[in-house]
């Protein structure tokens, strides 16, 4: 809602990266997500290019929403302008509107299906009936929602 966006705005940061600069590195700790306002980025997993991102795309949501280390390295292809949103900024909104986690867990599941092998997906899902359910449980635990 409008109130939540107004509360979020003072806590977001505009980040600008030049060509070749690394925004996030695979294996590093992270607690924020990025929304790409302009420019192009490349995404690498284990040194291999696995995708690209352009204006309007977002990344880093796994670390923000689950506390896991970064799963990929993201590097600027040209100058990029990003909005960075931290866990501290989005946490209160999620706790006051837990239904937001439904959409987020669905988006995370879609992203994981693209980057993980079938065996890795089964490991994430563990004993849950689906990847979506496993992610939703993990998000709820991470944000202290019962």
């Amino acid at each position: 809602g409008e109130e939540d966006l107004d509360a979020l705005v003072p806590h977001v940061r505009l980040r600008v990266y030049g060509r070749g600069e690394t925004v996030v590195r695979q294996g590093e700790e992270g607690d924020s997500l990025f929304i790409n306002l302009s420019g192009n980025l490349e995404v690498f997993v284990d040194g291999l290019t696995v995708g690209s991102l352009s204006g309007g795309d977002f990344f880093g949501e796994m670390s923000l929403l689950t506390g896991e280390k970064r799963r990929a390295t993201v590097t600027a292809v040209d100058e990029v302008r990003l909005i960075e949103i931290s866990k501290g900024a989005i946490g209160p909104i999620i706790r006051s509107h837990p239904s937001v986690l439904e959409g987020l867990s669905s988006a995370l599941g879609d992203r994981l299906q693209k980057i993980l092998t079938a065996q890795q997906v089964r490991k994430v899902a563990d004993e849950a009936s689906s990847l979506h359910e496993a992610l939703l449980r993990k998000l709820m635990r991470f944000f202290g929602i019962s």
Side-chain angles (χ1 to χ4, degrees), residues 24 30-34 59-61 63-64 70 84-87:
V24 298
D31 70 346
S32 61
L33 75 78
F34 297 85
F59 62 96
E61 71 280 3
S63 293
L64 168 75
R70 301 288 186 190
E84 182 178 18
I85 303 172
S86 69
K87 179 186 177 195

Side-chain angles (χ1 to χ4, degrees), residues 51-137:
S52 61
L53 300 164
S54 57
D57 291 334
F58 63 93
F59 62 96
E61 71 280 3
M62 292 295 293
S63 293
L64 168 75
L65 298 171
T66 67
E68 293 180 6
K69 292 182 178 181
R70 301 288 186 190
R71 291 183 176 264
T73 297
V74 179
T75 303
V77 173
D78 46 32
E79 182 178 276
V80 294
R81 294 181 182 278
L82 308 170
I83 292 176
E84 182 178 18
I85 303 172
S86 69
K87 179 186 177 195
I90 204 165
I93 294 169
I94 288 175
R95 282 189 287 280
S96 64
H97 304 289
S99 60
V100 168
L101 291 180
E102 282 286 330
L104 291 173
S105 63
S106 180
L108 290 176
D110 291 346
R111 180 79 48 110
L112 281 176
Q113 292 284 359
K114 290 178 184 174
I115 65 171
L116 299 179
T117 66
Q119 181 180 12
Q120 290 170 316
V121 168
R122 282 193 299 276
K123 183 178 177 186
V124 171
D126 200 11
E127 296 174 6
S129 62
S130 69
L131 179 60
H132 172 76
E133 181 185 324
L135 289 169
L136 183 57
R137 284 185 198 165

Side-chain angles (χ1 to χ4, degrees), residues 9-31:
V9 167
H11 302 286
V12 301
R13 289 177 243 144
L14 176 64
R15 302 283 191 191
V16 179
Y17 292 86
R19 178 185 307 168
E21 284 191 86
T22 298
V23 180
V24 298
R25 288 190 196 288
Q26 183 177 357
E28 286 183 345
E29 298 289 331
D31 70 346

